[in-house]
Amino acid sequence: MPADSTETNGVDLPPQKGQPGVADVISALYHHDGKLATQEQRVANYVKDHLEDISAMTIAELAGQCNVSTPTVIRFCRTLGCDGYREFKLRLAQNLAVSMQYLSADPKAGPTAGDSAIDQILNAINATANVMRRQIDPFVLDCAKAALLDTRHLLFAGIGGGSSTVAQEAANRFFRLGIPSMSTSDSYTLQMRAATLKEGDVLFLVSASGEADAIIGAAKIANNYGATTICITKPGTKLADVCSVPILVDLPEDRDIHKPTSSRYIHMIIVDALAMSVAQEMAHETTENLRRIRASLTAYHGRTGPQPLGD
């Protein structure tokens, strides 16, 4: 029996075959808009104007509002790539959970008159940095610094655009200090590398959400083998609960969807603060490492002027 047969007023449609599922029914809706049969277009027009109401409606109620039959509603759902009305409602609800901020952009979230693009970015960074400064726990930073000073091997990891970029830059900071450091953003590689860590090693995880399964799983694996786990994440998250040294910051998201999120800058500030603290604590070794790096680069490209070796 078709999945939607109980909602078709007794009219069964044959199951649809060969139509791949669609993850984004909102995009599918707008892609097919204007190309549908007349009766299905009625359904599309109503759905577009009542996106947030559909999840509470039965198929009969939607058909009645559109003045079409329930089989027409099912044909509409299948045109969008869903098996039937139930799947359409589920996928639409999932889309709306993450899409409403883009479908209903806040006109007040735009730039302030007179602010340049540079000003907008800097103002956002400054505001978010001040939030971080009030939340950061100096004792936790000291614990992280102590673990980093004693580590034999340091693995940074982040999944996703911002976090993976921070992890890559963090490894770039710390290898220059003479600490064997690397980063990964591949979820499978992360699980494998976490399993090679042991007591005296550090796994440093960056996650804005604190709920990424790959990150949480890697922390548990590293803990199981005796490594120290440090993270930068939100308080009250799964990652915060499983890491031995959680650096917790709850950062606001800008309402302007076109402005890059400031959290990655703030996470980088925390990494920089730790790198500087570690470098100062082991100044003799780090100074020699930086001298060697400068000497090797000078031999490579011949330039002797000042260069930013610290980062």
Side-chain angles (χ1 to χ4, degrees):
M1 180 177 292
D4 289 289
S5 61
T6 58
E7 294 190 89
T8 60
N9 292 344
V11 179
D12 288 349
L13 293 181
Q16 186 182 37
K17 297 179 180 179
Q19 177 72 38
V22 61
D24 187 352
V25 294
I26 294 176
S27 290
L29 173 64
Y30 285 98
H31 173 75
H32 289 283
D33 189 32
K35 308 172 188 174
L36 297 164
T38 302
Q39 298 297 308
E40 290 183 45
Q41 187 63 50
R42 285 188 185 180
V43 182
N45 292 341
Y46 184 87
V47 170
K48 284 188 300 178
D49 293 336
H50 302 84
L51 287 171
E52 295 182 88
D53 301 328
I54 302 301
S55 62
M57 299 177 69
T58 66
I59 190 171
E61 289 171 339
L62 177 57
Q65 289 292 335
C66 302
N67 196 26
V68 299
S69 66
T70 51
T72 296
V73 175
I74 293 180
R75 281 193 290 270
F76 162 77
C77 296
R78 291 178 173 176
T79 298
L80 299 190
C82 300
D83 287 338
Y85 186 61
R86 284 196 184 98
E87 184 184 359
F88 169 70
K89 287 206 303 182
L90 173 63
R91 293 194 180 279
L92 180 60
Q94 291 171 336
N95 285 172
L96 287 176
V98 297
S99 298
M100 284 312 296
Q101 63 174 318
Y102 303 100
L103 297 173
S104 303
D106 186 348
K108 297 180 181 178
T112 302
D115 281 355
S116 68
I118 294 294
D119 289 334
Q120 293 174 53
I121 298 299
L122 290 177
N123 290 340
I125 294 173
N126 289 333
T128 310
N130 286 328
V131 171
M132 178 270 289
R133 185 176 293 168
R134 293 192 296 268
Q135 295 180 3
I136 206 75
D137 186 342
F139 174 75
V140 173
L141 289 182
D142 285 342
C143 291
K145 181 181 76 170
L148 293 168
L149 283 166
D150 289 339
T151 188
R152 297 177 301 186
H153 178 77
L154 178 54
L155 174 62
F156 291 95
I159 304 294
S163 296
S164 60
T165 300
V166 173
Q168 184 178 17
E169 274 299 298
N172 185 47
R173 296 284 194 270
F174 277 86
F175 95 83
R176 297 165 188 264
L177 306 182
I179 298 174
S181 308
M182 65 180 307
S183 71
T184 183
S185 60
D186 180 85
S187 59
Y188 284 92
T189 301
L190 174 56
Q191 310 311 303
M192 293 187 289
R193 289 199 176 277
T196 68
L197 301 177
K198 53 187 176 293
E199 187 174 352
D201 296 333
V202 170
L203 175 61
F204 197 125
L205 301 161
V206 183
S207 175
S209 70
E211 302 293 340
D213 290 341
I215 295 291
I216 296 164
K220 291 179 179 179
I221 292 171
N223 285 336
N224 187 55
Y225 290 109
T228 299
T229 49
I230 303 173
C231 69
I232 301 175
T233 193
K234 286 182 179 179
T237 59
K238 293 178 183 177
L239 182 60
D241 290 340
V242 299
C243 285
S244 48
V245 186
I247 302 171
L248 305 178
V249 283
D250 191 1
L251 304 175
E253 293 295 339
D254 200 298
R255 291 185 303 162
D256 186 350
I257 62 172
H258 302 110
K259 186 184 298 179
T261 179
S262 297
S263 61
R264 72 184 191 280
Y265 297 108
I266 306 310
H267 292 166
M268 199 67 248
I269 289 173
I270 296 172
V271 167
D272 280 347
L274 288 171
M276 183 182 70
S277 298
V278 169
Q280 291 172 339
E281 190 75 20
M282 45 188 291
H284 178 73
E285 296 95 327
T286 55
T287 300
E288 175 60 14
N289 281 322
L290 294 175
R291 186 197 66 77
R292 291 183 182 185
I293 292 172
R294 172 61 59 81
S296 68
L297 291 177
T298 298
Y300 179 70
H301 53 55
R303 295 188 293 273
T304 58
Q307 294 176 30
L309 281 183
D311 55 2

